Amino acid sequence: MSFFKGVMPYLVTPIDADGTIRTPVLARLCDDLIKAGVHGLTPLGSTGEYPYLNDEQRRRVVATTIEAAHGRVPVIPGVAALSTHDAIRQAKLYQGLRANGILLVLESYFPLNEAQVIDYFTSVASSIDIPVIIYTNPNFQRTNLSLKVLEQLSRHDNIVALKDASTNTGHLLTVARRCQDRLDIFAASSHIITSVMMIGGKGWLSGPACLAPRQSVKLYDLCIAGRWEEAARLQRDLWALNEAFAKFNLAACIKAGLALQGYEVGDPIAPQRGLASDERKIVAQVLESIARL
Amino acid sequence: MSFFKGVMPYLVTPIDADGTIRTPVLARLCDDLIKAGVHGLTPLGSTGEYPYLNDEQRRRVVATTIEAAHGRVPVIPGVAALSTHDAIRQAKLYQGLRANGILLVLESYFPLNEAQVIDYFTSVASSIDIPVIIYTNPNFQRTNLSLKVLEQLSRHDNIVALKDASTNTGHLLTVARRCQDRLDIFAASSHIITSVMMIGGKGWLSGPACLAPRQSVKLYDLCIAGRWEEAARLQRDLWALNEAFAKFNLAACIKAGLALQGYEVGDPIAPQRGLASDERKIVAQVLESIARL
Amino acid sequence: MSFFKGVMPYLVTPIDADGTIRTPVLARLCDDLIKAGVHGLTPLGSTGEYPYLNDEQRRRVVATTIEAAHGRVPVIPGVAALSTHDAIRQAKLYQGLRANGILLVLESYFPLNEAQVIDYFTSVASSIDIPVIIYTNPNFQRTNLSLKVLEQLSRHDNIVALKDASTNTGHLLTVARRCQDRLDIFAASSHIITSVMMIGGKGWLSGPACLAPRQSVKLYDLCIAGRWEEAARLQRDLWALNEAFAKFNLAACIKAGLALQGYEVGDPIAPQRGLASDERKIVAQVLESIARL
Amino acid sequence: MSFFKGVMPYLVTPIDADGTIRTPVLARLCDDLIKAGVHGLTPLGSTGEYPYLNDEQRRRVVATTIEAAHGRVPVIPGVAALSTHDAIRQAKLYQGLRANGILLVLESYFPLNEAQVIDYFTSVASSIDIPVIIYTNPNFQRTNLSLKVLEQLSRHDNIVALKDASTNTGHLLTVARRCQDRLDIFAASSHIITSVMMIGGKGWLSGPACLAPRQSVKLYDLCIAGRWEEAARLQRDLWALNEAFAKFNLAACIKAGLALQGYEVGDPIAPQRGLASDERKIVAQVLESIARL
């Protein structure tokens, strides 16, 4: 049995320049995404600029999301830390807020060996009662999760899924061959999602899904129905979104797109900046091109 | 219309310790691969240890392959050089031997700008009358082919296809969206081939196909028939081959596998060495596991 | 005129498993280092495991160091953040605690362009009245400081020095040729310090100096006296320390060495671990080998 | 006893667009460099574009250099190959031409383990009777020489020196501490040469020395005389050369500079190109700035 499935958008963090979370904007975005059919919500991912937020800001984002979801879909906030102690603190806090799971990231500074990596993930997973998706992103974390580590983590009762944000879908197939009966596989927007679904993936977590929830759900449904050629055609057209977002700061892109769609999410957190007007035009064109899909 | 399609194995170079090409072994391998249904043969790729061979050795490999193929399938030798002058010399030589196309690689030492990269490929392609597959491998070549370069090269009459040996299948989808009507896309064994076929790929060039020609052709046929789920299942099992070969020296692996299948291809060229006996056992197990597929 | 000069050890953070800072141990270490002749103290560097500490732990470390130094030498805590807002908050807090300067780091997650990098450093430097050493470490920060950025930052009144933790001393010579009249240059333990002093460096900030304060001061004095060949000989012998520490987790190494010297600094913060007993032996041997210098 | 010492310029390869070596230009350059006081000549390094040359071109370059040197200084051509067999062939050929030593490089394609690396170097060194300088350049060769490998190679009778082209001078100090009594250390232009001389280096091999032979010899003499502060001042001014050359294709830079000095060395080999006119101006300015030194 799978705990989670389908399209789970990474939420942006609507925020003022002074650091105040714009909770009404976030709540409306959550409500609209659920009405568009998404299967879960993941606050505090990269798209949510989690590394730029302090503890109190993070707490508000998670609480607002859970309240807005109101039990209609699972809410799975990101937990990311360098120290085990800090990760456990976050995980327990979000469980207390009634999160349905966590997306667990190991940040890194000094190199860790495999025993230390395993220690981190299992200590955090053992400290809570809700399921854990482990997340590996070689672009942002220095410590990669080896096959051996994944195999061992897949045997922990609370660790139920893996989200891999590399561009190497072949690596996911290798993981699937070794751990798929114990670990659900989720794609990221860096993958061709149809490919991941075809090798047995359960769904995907991605920032761009904020901007195209309806089309993303349609893609998911085509995959589930085994209508692979239609899925591949839709995927090909939706890929325009990935291409556009690979060019710019991810949070800036999605915030710009949401602003164009009427959500006042504000700029990314300084020293990041919002998109320039010519960049904004590219995002507008892409949104228009996928609106018909 | 596509010039090339299907499964095109990269041939190993059977060779003695003193540098003599074992032409009878190579000829027999070519014949057996063609009888197993492969759609083309590519001597002098990475698998063929081309960078370790001198001009005369390369010439013998190409001539032997063309003679053995005897027109049944196209033969597309690799042409790789640092200087434009040397690449043109090789290309003309192989055309003179009646090769059906070339696989063109730009080696690099000092960095080149985009104009210089385009200059290399177009100068070589213009010097011959047979079609060119351009080949980009970020693991071995320092100079990557940008989208802008690919777009421009795709407009050259003689440049008909791209083989990409990165692990980033999403990049191939981006190329396909931009150039697919002018540039056929071929996968490498670093990709999940089913994924590349689903996004419109025409086939694949790969070393491991030497060891599993029949299963590779079966996979190709399933893709062409749109039987995607069967293809995905076969792909998943065949992936064992890719996993094994990612661990060791590629040429050593394939030479070890062919030796197990009765081809006396010899060791890889020194200072490379043949596989150790425990490594050989892993290759044997994998070959056994895929024999039934 | 230079604001800072000489040997400024990066302090470890003595800490219990439950996260309590061992302030008496830290105070005694500070006092002993000052008595050994060091010219300044820098809490909250990499050696101090700053990324693993929360706000309150950081505050205690800085307050304890400043109190222990008691005005005898400058105290320059590290300020590191992703958001400008957070860095300004830290900088003002430490200024309020009477720090004599700050060591300013830009952490990074999403890529920043040069204008954004400059914005971060100048916004923080303008928010306080004490001098700023900017710190660039390509091993840990994704965003490198280009020559153009350094040149512009060197014109800010509060930005007085640069510490570079790459291994590329030639790059420091290039910076010196462009900015040395406006920016003092400090070496890291990844450099050959004698080389940096010879090209005009003002001193160095390093973790290993915690373990060899007397020998480090002696090396500094030889450089200042122009006794270069004696300096080079001493440097060569002291390099054993750098070699040993390149092998292991830096904080674990220095904590192990300090424990051997009688400071109960505890283990590095989990999931990091203390050195294994055979690793500890290597550290003990090195400490013995340099004790006589 | 050291076999080689001092300033040994890497020679460019003067060549026509059709591939003819301009032997009179090369001979005149060799003669002028010797008259300016250099201590040796090294044809077929990176600066000499060796990877772009065929066997016959290489032979002509080496023969011309040896003839021009006429025994006044040692000539040490580069030998670089992927296969042991090819490297031995080159080494014997140059020994037959009366080269005084070789500079031995291991090119790489497929990864090699340490035993294979050692096998390559010792097989080549054992095949000839002249001394070998081993050369490691992490920018161009995939296979780095570990300390363990260097230590073992340093025990071979014919292997007398190491040239390291990384930017990490600290690594050279580590090598010196382990192998200096058996392996002379030479710097590259990526190092601050004064630093390498201070830690015991015997000299340097560098392309830019072609353009500033007199000043390079002066720098060497100051180091040998222990006049370190004067050396550091001269080094600082000469560094302008390194800064300029880091910006462009190395061969193109040095060829442009030599053309400005009256040597008709031609353009770099295509698809490389000569410097653009604005780039040529930068080289001219730098040459002027160092002419007075």
Side-chain angles (χ1 to χ4, degrees), chain C:
Chain C
M1 194 213 68
S2 295
F3 282 87
F4 307 117
K5 63 156 197 191
V7 179
M8 302 199 281
Y10 280 122
L11 302 171
V12 300
T13 298
I15 191 166
D16 286 341
D18 74 354
T20 309
I21 306 297
R22 298 180 176 177
T23 54
V25 179
L26 178 57
R28 183 161 71 87
L29 175 62
C30 291
D31 191 56
D32 288 350
L33 289 170
I34 293 171
K35 284 175 180 156
V38 306
H39 306 85
L41 294 174
T42 47
L44 302 185
S46 296
T47 304
E49 299 172 87
Y50 81 83
Y52 301 83
L53 300 174
N54 64 30
D55 286 343
E56 174 52 19
Q57 290 166 329
R58 293 183 186 185
R59 197 198 57 74
R60 292 215 74 183
V61 166
V62 174
T64 302
T65 305
I66 290 171
E67 198 176 325
H70 209 256
R72 290 176 289 176
V73 299
V75 174
I76 306 147
V79 164
L82 276 158
S83 83
T84 310
H85 192 267
D86 185 25
I88 290 176
R89 186 190 57 74
Q90 293 175 43
K92 287 187 163 173
L93 175 65
Y94 302 153
Q95 173 172 280
L97 295 171
R98 301 195 176 275
N100 304 90
I102 62 166
L103 186 73
L104 183 56
V105 175
L106 170 57
E107 306 228 277
S108 68
Y109 195 82
F110 290 124
L112 298 175
N113 64 30
E114 299 205 328
Q116 293 165 334
V117 170
I118 289 172
D119 183 32
Y120 173 88
F121 282 102
T122 54
S123 296
V124 179
S126 298
S127 76
I128 51 175
D129 305 310
I130 52 178
V132 172
I133 303 177
I134 54 181
Y135 177 20
T136 178
N137 186 342
N139 301 312
F140 289 119
Q141 278 82 40
R142 220 178 305 265
T143 311
N144 211 359
L145 299 182
S146 71
L147 269 181
K148 204 178 122 198
V149 166
L150 286 174
E151 228 170 342
Q152 193 160 338
L153 293 179
S154 73
R155 298 180 192 286
H156 190 288
D157 278 352
N158 270 0
I159 295 175
V160 302
L162 169 72
K163 141 107 192 238
D164 172 296
S166 74
T167 57
N168 187 344
T169 313
H171 177 67
L172 271 184
L173 177 50
T174 293
V175 174
R177 283 170 41 88
R178 296 258 200 114
C179 315
Q180 199 168 52
D181 50 333
R182 297 182 307 277
L183 206 59
D184 289 341
I185 305 282
F186 285 84
S189 49
S190 49
H191 294 112
I192 302 178
I193 283 157
T194 316
S195 300
V196 179
M197 292 302 290
M198 173 163 282
I199 65 177
K202 288 292 185 281
W204 60 94
L205 293 87
S206 95
C210 278
L211 293 172
R214 187 180 49 75
Q215 298 89 328
S216 300
V217 170
K218 186 173 168 190
L219 177 58
Y220 177 76
D221 289 341
L222 287 172
C223 292
I224 291 299
R227 293 159 64 183
W228 296 109
E229 286 169 27
E230 287 164 85
R233 268 195 302 278
L234 177 54
Q235 166 82 84
R236 185 181 162 117
D237 291 335
L238 269 176
W239 194 249
L241 215 52
N242 300 59
E243 289 178 355
F245 292 3
K247 288 180 198 149
F248 312 121
N249 177 305
L250 180 65
C253 264
I254 302 192
K255 285 190 156 179
L258 285 169
L260 287 164
Q261 293 181 342
Y263 298 93
E264 295 299 329
V265 292
D267 277 330
I269 296 164
Q272 300 174 95
R273 289 183 190 170
L275 294 190
S277 68
D278 54 329
E279 298 170 332
R280 225 171 269 269
K281 255 178 222 157
I282 294 175
V283 172
Q285 281 166 1
V286 171
L287 288 183
E288 207 175 322
S289 84
I290 65 163
R292 290 157 267 144
L293 299 177

Side-chain angles (χ1 to χ4, degrees), chain C residues 177, chain D residues 189 206-213 215-216 235-248 250 253-254 257 261 282-283 285-291 293:
Chain C
R177 283 170 41 88
Chain D
S189 49
S206 95
C210 277
L211 294 171
Q215 299 90 329
S216 299
Q235 165 84 84
R236 186 182 162 119
D237 290 335
L238 270 177
W239 194 249
L241 216 52
N242 301 59
E243 290 178 354
F245 293 2
K247 288 180 197 148
F248 313 121
L250 180 65
C253 263
I254 301 191
Q261 293 181 343
I282 294 176
V283 171
Q285 281 165 3
V286 171
L287 288 184
E288 207 174 323
S289 83
I290 64 162
L293 299 177

Side-chain angles (χ1 to χ4, degrees), chain B residues 18 46 50-52 82-85 109-112 115-116 119-120 139-140 142 249-251 269-273, chain D residues 18 46 50-52 82-85 109-112 115-116 119-120 139-140 142 249-251 269-273:
Chain B
D18 74 354
S46 296
Y50 80 82
Y52 301 83
L82 276 158
S83 83
T84 310
H85 191 267
Y109 194 82
F110 290 124
L112 298 175
Q116 293 165 336
D119 184 33
Y120 174 89
N139 301 312
F140 289 119
R142 221 179 304 266
N249 177 306
L250 180 65
I269 296 165
Q272 300 175 94
R273 290 183 190 171
Chain D
D18 74 355
S46 296
Y50 80 82
Y52 301 84
L82 277 158
S83 82
T84 310
H85 191 267
Y109 194 82
F110 290 124
L112 299 175
Q116 293 165 336
D119 183 33
Y120 173 88
N139 301 311
F140 290 118
R142 222 179 303 266
N249 176 306
L250 180 65
I269 296 165
Q272 300 175 96
R273 289 184 189 169

Side-chain angles (χ1 to χ4, degrees), chain A residues 249-260:
Chain A
N249 176 306
L250 179 66
C253 264
I254 301 191
K255 287 190 155 178
L258 286 169
L260 287 163

Side-chain angles (χ1 to χ4, degrees), chain D residues 7 30-32 35 57 61 97 102-103 119 144 147 159 172 178 190 197-198 209 212 230 237 244 266 276 293:
Chain D
V7 178
C30 291
D31 190 56
D32 289 350
K35 285 176 179 155
Q57 291 166 329
V61 166
L97 296 172
I102 62 166
L103 187 73
D119 183 33
N144 212 358
L147 270 181
I159 295 176
L172 270 185
R178 296 258 199 114
S190 49
M197 293 302 290
M198 174 164 281
E230 288 165 86
D237 290 335
L293 299 177

